[in-house]
Amino acid sequence: MSVVSRRDKIRKDEGRRDKYSVLLPTYNERENLPLIVWLLVKYFGESGYNYEIIIIDDGSPDGTLEVAQQLRKIYGSDKIYYTLIPCFLCLGTAYIHGMQHASGNFIIIMDADLSHHPKFIPEFINKQKEGNFDIVSGTRYIGNGGVYGWDLKRKLISRGANFLSQVLLRPGASDLTGSFRLYKKEVLQKLVDHCVSKGYVFQMEMIVRARQFKYTIGEVPISFVDRVYGESKLGGNEIVSFLKGLLTLFATT
């Protein structure tokens, strides 16, 4: 066996001793939830890593929670857990709530709307093992990463927001507004405890605080695909909130 093959085998053996808790905040994801869960089960099953999926529903009126209950029956209570939080709370609250039920030593956060493909998760895990990174972040802006399904206006808004964030905050990561990440559990806990932002700014503040605490960040290029079912939650109010939050972070970090 070559040195590289032996190193890969050791890394996989170490990975199988770890457990990965996937946090899926949901709001009106009844149609997307069965697909994303099936894909998660598929790719975790193929890679052999130990995992659990924690669905944190924000009071969806479309029956998302009932779908989560059925998925738990299909895949088992050891793999699927669901919980309900009061309506319209911030992402940080959802993550705190999810971590209370997480038994893994690593936490993966991602969107439930199929924008983030679970096929990248084994790459996240391998990247983390390579450098013992505290955080591994999916990025749309380096290597073969990209965005698909957005119109030109949405792409320009995203690029502009990321560029402005890079100039003002110098975060040490190429995709500041992305929400597909892997964290060591204790790292995510500390970051959430210190973050004060809400909405889309929250993910940005997480990386900025990580830089302050001198946590290490690895990056994996990903393909971001616009949601298949449902409506995007990005609107004019969110853009204004983002700009206010960005200026606040610039002034206070």
Side-chain angles (χ1 to χ4, degrees):
M1 183 183 294
S2 69
V3 174
V4 174
S5 297
R6 189 179 300 113
R7 188 164 59 240
D8 289 343
K9 183 179 185 301
I10 291 171
R11 190 180 299 139
K12 286 183 178 179
D13 289 342
E14 290 175 346
R16 288 183 177 89
R17 289 195 294 269
D18 293 318
K19 185 173 184 180
Y20 298 87
S21 299
V22 181
L23 303 189
L24 285 181
T26 58
Y27 184 74
N28 286 348
E29 300 292 357
R30 175 186 177 91
E31 294 164 310
N32 292 314
L33 190 58
L35 293 173
I36 192 67
V37 167
W38 181 82
L39 287 167
L40 283 164
V41 171
K42 171 180 168 23
Y43 284 98
F44 271 112
E46 290 177 354
S47 61
Y49 294 116
N50 192 15
Y51 72 97
E52 63 184 359
I53 302 167
I54 301 172
I55 301 162
I56 311 115
D57 189 58
D58 192 14
S60 300
D62 74 337
T64 297
L65 194 62
E66 288 75 11
V67 171
Q69 293 169 347
Q70 292 301 314
L71 292 170
R72 180 179 168 94
K73 291 178 182 178
I74 293 170
Y75 295 108
S77 58
D78 61 323
K79 295 300 182 188
I80 306 291
Y81 184 87
Y82 59 87
T83 183
L84 180 68
I85 60 174
C87 296
F88 307 118
L89 291 181
C90 65
L91 269 178
T93 303
Y95 293 150
I96 291 170
H97 203 72
M99 280 191 290
Q100 291 173 352
H101 304 284
S103 59
N105 56 323
F106 287 94
I107 304 290
I108 295 171
I109 62 170
M110 61 189 302
D111 294 344
D113 61 5
L114 301 173
S115 296
H116 300 143
H117 201 297
K119 69 181 180 182
F120 294 108
I121 289 177
E123 295 182 42
F124 279 42
I125 294 172
N126 289 337
K127 185 70 175 182
Q128 193 282 322
K129 299 300 177 190
E130 285 175 6
N132 192 28
F133 291 108
D134 298 306
I135 304 165
V136 175
S137 181
T139 175
R140 298 162 287 181
Y141 302 125
I142 63 172
N144 58 355
V147 176
Y148 302 91
W150 280 0
D151 59 22
L152 181 59
K153 178 182 176 182
R154 184 80 184 268
K155 287 181 178 180
L156 289 174
I157 290 172
S158 177
R159 282 281 187 177
N162 198 64
F163 175 77
L164 190 59
S165 303
Q166 295 287 339
V167 170
L168 293 179
L169 303 177
R170 302 188 182 279
S174 64
D175 193 342
L176 200 55
T177 56
S179 56
F180 192 4
R181 296 173 186 163
L182 180 153
Y183 293 87
K184 292 179 179 178
K185 186 177 183 180
E186 66 275 13
V187 169
L188 180 59
Q189 183 69 64
K190 184 173 181 178
L191 291 174
V192 169
D193 288 345
H194 285 81
C195 286
V196 297
S197 302
K198 297 182 179 180
Y200 291 92
V201 183
F202 175 80
Q203 300 292 4
M204 186 166 60
E205 185 181 359
M206 293 278 277
I207 295 296
V208 173
R209 299 296 177 195
R211 181 200 62 193
Q212 287 185 327
F213 293 132
K214 301 189 184 307
Y215 288 137
T216 55
I217 304 172
E219 293 189 300
V220 171
I222 63 166
S223 300
F224 179 95
V225 181
D226 198 16
R227 60 166 49 246
V228 177
Y229 298 109
E231 297 180 358
S232 171
K233 301 172 181 66
L234 177 64
N237 291 336
E238 286 75 16
I239 294 172
V240 172
S241 296
F242 169 82
L243 292 173
K244 288 181 179 178
L246 175 61
L247 292 175
T248 300
L249 283 178
F250 176 67
T252 58
T253 60

